[in-house]
Amino acid sequence: GVQTFGRTGNNLIEFLHALQYGHDNGVVVGVMRGSWPMHLITSMWMAVQNDNMHAWSTFFQDEFCVRIIEDYDELESYREVIAMDTRQIFQYKHFGGIERYVEFQTHYIRVLFRSYNRGIGKNIRHGPVKDMCSVLHTMFGDMKSDVKYSVIHSRSLEGDPGRRLLARIAEDSGCDPTAAIDMTPEYVKGILEPLGMLDHPIVFISDHQDPTILDRLKNDATIGSKLVYVPDEDSWVGGDMTLAIMANVFIGNPASTFSGFIAKSRLALGWNNSFMFRRKNEDGRWEDVCDDNCIFNKKVMHAMA
């Protein structure tokens, strides 16, 4: 159908969890024609080319090992149909080893990015698609292939609910319970300075719910002059996502499923320097408390893994 649980980050988890459920339970995943997974994916990846829906349908089914269901009447031809709503899919947990889970999930993330949209073709609802690299081009133009830059993804997550969620993740991971939301200059510099990245652009993308975060960074003597922002008229989910995935350094919030998908994609595509789980040690220095696989760890991230 068209009903989803949450926004883009959640929806991507739901689709990948559905594939995982099918794999774990030996069942075929059915995707209804015109449903939310098709729109989600074709808005950023796998655009329909030349209005050839037959070719696209074959490609989609082969790439994800799924079956496209044309209408609800078709379901009657199957001996058994397992119906799950998107909240149930979001909450599905793979109980096997994390190595196999990471291998499966990152494979399908790479499947997506092998066919990222370039502004050519249409989405499943016959609308035009954008170029996933459009924001990268807006920010850096012809220099985009050579520029070194960092991305801060700031999510306040509706205030107290976001802080409670990060605090729960902190209990299970050992990370600081507030740093990834507050994004203080001290926290950011603790990441970028050892990497020699304070002399390069720092791109700030956010949900704009807490303007004090940006104000603190702008007013910092070291960070302020290097801070840049994506213009509102150019910002969009796929473009911002690609900008963050391609960054030399990514600083995100593990309580955000959008940050989480960026970190998962960076791992799948071979990028390091993703900073999500940090705390101060006894010497007062910031350090990582999880490896890159932590974002896939069900014991830490629960349903968001």
Side-chain angles (χ1 to χ4, degrees):
V2 296
Q3 297 299 317
T4 59
F5 176 64
R7 291 178 287 194
T8 303
N10 282 27
N11 302 156
L12 289 164
I13 287 175
E14 289 153 17
F15 180 68
L16 291 169
H17 279 189
L19 300 181
Q20 189 74 53
Y21 179 91
H23 177 76
D24 293 350
N25 293 278
V27 298
V28 176
V29 175
V31 181
M32 188 66 69
R33 172 79 67 187
S35 60
W36 67 264
M38 288 189 172
H39 180 63
L40 170 72
I41 290 170
T42 57
S43 66
M44 293 182 278
W45 305 277
M46 299 183 173
V48 180
Q49 302 298 324
N50 303 314
D51 292 321
N52 191 335
M53 285 302 304
H54 176 74
W56 181 87
S57 298
T58 300
F59 178 66
F60 181 84
Q61 292 180 123
D62 289 349
E63 289 294 281
F64 293 115
C65 299
V66 299
R67 169 78 180 180
I68 293 176
I69 307 299
E70 295 298 335
D71 53 46
Y72 284 97
D73 290 341
E74 183 182 337
L75 295 176
E76 296 179 3
S77 65
Y78 292 92
R79 185 179 60 197
E80 181 182 4
V81 176
I82 302 170
M84 300 175 68
D85 63 31
T86 49
R87 178 187 283 270
Q88 290 175 302
I89 297 171
F90 180 80
Q91 294 174 339
Y92 175 70
K93 292 183 180 181
H94 168 77
F95 289 101
I98 188 171
E99 292 82 8
R100 295 292 298 273
Y101 182 66
V102 172
E103 179 183 3
F104 184 89
Q105 294 282 298
T106 54
H107 166 73
Y108 281 106
I109 291 173
R110 287 190 293 272
V111 167
L112 289 171
F113 280 98
R114 281 203 298 265
S115 301
Y116 68 90
N117 287 351
R118 295 165 171 82
I120 302 171
K122 296 179 180 178
N123 63 36
I124 200 66
R125 297 175 184 170
H126 308 290
V129 297
K130 296 183 178 181
D131 185 343
M132 286 284 277
C133 295
S134 62
V135 175
L136 190 58
H137 183 75
T138 295
M139 300 304 296
F140 302 115
D142 293 337
M143 299 286 292
K144 63 180 180 290
S145 298
D146 303 312
V147 68
K148 295 177 67 175
Y149 68 98
S150 304
V151 165
I152 298 170
H153 179 228
S154 172
R155 285 298 310 273
S156 297
L157 299 167
E158 287 72 47
D160 288 342
R163 289 187 176 275
R164 288 194 296 269
L165 180 54
L166 181 57
R168 190 188 73 177
I169 292 171
E171 289 181 3
D172 294 318
S173 69
C175 73
D176 188 278
T178 63
I181 282 183
D182 293 336
M183 288 290 179
T184 64
E186 176 208 15
Y187 179 71
V188 172
K189 286 187 286 190
I191 294 170
L192 298 183
E193 186 172 14
L195 298 172
M197 290 297 292
L198 286 174
D199 293 327
H200 301 279
I202 304 169
V203 184
F204 184 85
I205 56 178
S206 80
D207 57 12
H208 305 295
Q209 291 182 5
D210 186 354
T212 63
I213 296 172
L214 178 57
D215 289 341
R216 282 196 302 264
L217 295 172
K218 285 168 62 177
N219 293 328
D220 183 81
T222 304
I223 294 175
S225 63
K226 296 298 180 182
L227 205 61
V228 293
Y229 337 101
V230 179
D232 288 343
E233 62 270 21
D234 296 307
S235 176
W236 69 286
V237 169
D240 292 351
M241 178 194 299
T242 304
L243 180 74
I245 290 171
M246 297 300 292
N248 297 85
V249 180
F250 173 66
I251 305 172
N253 179 354
S256 161
T257 53
F258 190 67
S259 269
F261 184 76
I262 290 168
K264 291 173 181 177
S265 298
R266 288 173 61 85
L267 178 63
L269 299 174
W271 290 95
N272 55 14
N273 289 333
S274 298
F275 296 92
M276 302 275 282
F277 304 90
R278 305 274 283 174
R279 71 175 176 197
K280 273 188 177 179
N281 61 23
E282 294 178 353
D283 297 327
R285 296 183 180 182
W286 289 99
E287 63 181 9
D288 292 323
V289 297
C290 274
D291 62 19
D292 288 340
N293 285 350
C294 199
I295 197 65
F296 286 104
N297 192 325
K298 294 289 184 179
K299 295 179 181 178
V300 173
M301 299 302 298
H302 302 277
M304 296 190 297

